[in-house]
Amino acid sequence: MAQLWGGRFTKETDQLVYNFNASISFDQKFYKQDIRGSIAHVTMLAASGILTDEEKNQIIDGLTGILNDVESGKLVITDKYEDIHSFVEANLIDRIGDVGKKLHTGRSRNDQVALDMKLYVRDELLEVKKLVIELIKVLHKLMKENVDTYMPGFTHLQKAQPVTFAHHIGAYMEMFKRDLSRINDIYERMNYCPLGAGALAGTTYPLDRELTAKLLDFKGPTLNSMDSVSDRDYVIEMLSAFSTIMMHLSRFSEEIIIWNSNEYQFVELDDAYSTGSSIMPQKKNPDIAELVRGKTGRVYGALASMLTTMKGIPLAYNKDMQEDKELTFDAIDTVKGCLALFTGMISTMKLNKANMEKSAMNGFTNATDAADYLVNHGVPFRDAHGIVGQLVLYCIDKDKSLLDMTLDEYKAISPVFEDDIYDAISLKTCVEKRNTIGAPGNEAIKKVIDLNEEYISNLC
Ligand code: ARG
């Protein structure tokens, strides 16, 4: 047991208590951030006249040595230490002697861990951002390539009106653009440095908190020391944004699973992104899409768990907050893994355009357009709806599509129909006539693609 405290205790900590309390098994994940924060702290301590330059340099050399040795595997982080902060400080003292004991001047583990977690989350937000951008680029490519790929659009999973694959993908494009903007917002809001808040009430040392914030690339210091050590709002916001990303990935996965099924055959997943069955030789399963859908629950769970952990905590720091780490780390790793795999999966899947188009041709996806035809010829919409309902019933009975009906058959139901009905309800017309902003028609979708092109060129 290696702890940073013990002076006021007369007994050793019970081993079970020690194990229960310790966080080294998971907070070692941010050893880099912990060392980075410590280097900034001593740099500030020296600039503020609290440490000499000589002391600062010795400490920074020691910390850099620890970082290099951990990275190279020469120094292994073990559970002999209570947490990552104790590990770094104890190793520093071993390495450089008593001067290492000055590292923690004007600092508490409360503001230290608040900083480490913020640095970690900030780094990871940027990683997730990169992955969302990769996905957005793949979606953009799919849109550009598929402005003329017709497919049925669905409501209630029933064929509704024809759209294009570009348009369908464009819906997800908008979702992931919003996800990206949420990440940017969270990053901006959280980007204030808590170091210097001390245990909860600041310190009596003349710390230059502006300098610490600057050294660590924050916009500035946080403004209330009690809030600084007990704020985990940004973790909750991140988990909420990540839950939304997972929700989007999960819906998309569900569609891919449906499209990849034998019944639909709209897409075929690449062999490299599919798995087989141990008993049924013919199977090629969309396991990746299913796992993404399944892992969504883990990320939602992290959000619910974090909200619950925080809800009853009096100010300022309480040990409950240690619970922020494992679930957050798991959620971050899950989201990163899912985004990367999902992007790989959709960029390698084959589109079966002929099947999509065939499917759009049947199922009466042009029924609305037949009704609109009648409206354009003076029939009130409600009556037109009724007439086309009769046409559909007739076609179901005769097992044909609206395009297969003869003009006589049309006229038997309504004399308003003329020869131009066929063109008015062709798949191409149904899509291409829809050119209002955000609609699937070529003209409309190309405008959106141009806007997206500009949006992407302005990213990072
Ligand atoms: N392991 C702790 C955490 O994750 C670090 C802070 C400990 N502070 C304290 N006063 N015990 O929250």
Side-chain angles (χ1 to χ4, degrees), residues 5 21-24 26-27 30 82-85 108-114 199 232 317-325:
W5 43 271
N21 197 45
S23 52
I24 189 89
F26 46 88
D27 64 17
F30 50 52
E82 181 188 347
D83 52 30
I84 190 64
H85 325 297
S108 154
R109 274 185 300 165
N110 297 352
D111 58 346
Q112 188 178 358
V113 79
R232 297 293 183 274
Y317 177 83
N318 296 259
K319 193 71 176 220
D320 317 39
M321 287 178 191
Q322 181 167 287
E323 284 297 306
D324 62 355
K325 292 172 196 62

Side-chain angles (χ1 to χ4, degrees), residues 7 20 112 118 135 139 200-201 224 270 311 355 365 419:
F20 190 65
Q112 188 178 358
K118 264 199 169 174
L135 174 56
L139 296 179
L200 77 162
N224 181 290
D270 195 72
K311 80 184 246 305
N355 268 356
T365 60
D419 226 11

Side-chain angles (χ1 to χ4, degrees), residues 187-366:
Y187 191 98
E188 288 304 305
R189 204 166 19 255
M190 68 167 286
N191 201 12
Y192 294 90
C193 182
L195 198 63
L200 77 162
T203 75
T204 53
Y205 299 97
L207 304 186
D208 182 350
R209 293 197 58 211
E210 299 274 358
L211 177 60
T212 313
K214 207 166 135 209
L215 292 170
L216 293 166
D217 296 321
F218 283 102
K219 276 194 287 192
T222 49
L223 294 185
N224 181 290
S225 58
M226 293 176 80
D227 176 53
S228 310
V229 292
S230 57
D231 166 33
R232 297 293 183 274
D233 290 7
Y234 64 96
V235 176
I236 291 170
E237 282 197 65
M238 179 185 69
L239 293 174
S240 162
F242 285 4
S243 294
T244 308
I245 291 177
M246 289 303 296
M247 180 269 289
H248 291 151
L249 286 177
S250 183
R251 290 182 77 175
F252 207 164
S253 293
E254 170 67 8
E255 299 215 89
I256 303 251
I257 293 163
I258 293 173
W259 293 343
N260 187 62
S261 69
N262 204 33
E263 282 67 25
Y264 276 71
Q265 296 183 38
F266 284 6
V267 300
E268 188 186 339
L269 294 179
D270 195 72
D271 278 3
Y273 282 87
S274 310
T275 45
S277 155
S278 60
I279 176 168
M280 297 166 282
Q282 84 282 13
K283 293 274 268 183
K284 192 171 139 186
N285 295 328
D287 283 22
I288 297 307
E290 291 169 22
L291 273 173
V292 170
R293 192 177 57 184
K295 284 176 188 289
T296 302
R298 279 165 83 136
V299 181
Y300 288 7
L303 172 62
S305 169
M306 193 60 198
L307 282 165
T308 313
T309 295
M310 293 304 294
K311 80 184 246 305
I313 303 183
L315 292 178
Y317 177 83
N318 296 259
K319 193 71 176 220
D320 317 39
M321 287 178 191
Q322 181 167 287
E323 284 297 306
D324 62 355
K325 292 172 196 62
E326 285 164 288
L327 54 91
T328 302
F329 296 159
D330 182 71
I332 291 171
D333 293 344
T334 302
V335 170
K336 282 185 355 190
C338 289
L339 276 167
L341 279 155
F342 189 88
T343 302
M345 180 179 72
I346 61 163
S347 59
T348 53
M349 74 186 177
K350 250 189 15 234
L351 305 186
N352 197 338
K353 299 186 187 185
N355 268 356
M356 288 190 203
E357 185 164 333
K358 206 166 91 201
S359 172
M361 296 283 284
N362 59 45
F364 305 102
T365 60
N366 50 3

Side-chain angles (χ1 to χ4, degrees), residues 370 373-374 387-388 391 407 410-411 414-419 421:
Y373 172 92
L374 292 171
I387 293 168
V388 177
L391 290 177
L407 191 56
Y410 270 109
K411 283 197 173 290
S414 167
V416 179
F417 287 112
E418 295 297 341
D419 226 11
I421 178 63

Side-chain angles (χ1 to χ4, degrees), residues 100-164:
K101 294 181 181 167
K102 297 195 172 186
L103 166 66
H104 210 51
T105 313
R107 190 173 69 169
S108 154
R109 274 185 300 165
N110 297 352
D111 58 346
Q112 188 178 358
V113 79
L115 173 74
D116 291 2
M117 191 66 183
K118 264 199 169 174
L119 290 176
Y120 188 84
V121 162
R122 214 176 55 167
D123 290 347
E124 293 296 324
L125 278 174
L126 292 182
E127 291 304 308
V128 172
K129 186 173 159 175
K130 277 190 219 151
L131 290 163
V132 175
I133 291 175
E134 281 315 302
L135 174 56
I136 282 177
K137 286 182 180 165
V138 168
L139 296 179
H140 184 56
K141 183 165 174 281
L142 280 172
M143 285 182 77
K144 281 198 295 193
E145 289 167 358
N146 289 289
V147 290
D148 295 317
T149 308
Y150 299 123
M151 68 178 285
F154 298 84
T155 62
H156 314 270
L157 204 54
Q158 306 278 330
K159 284 180 196 175
Q161 289 170 345
V163 293
T164 64

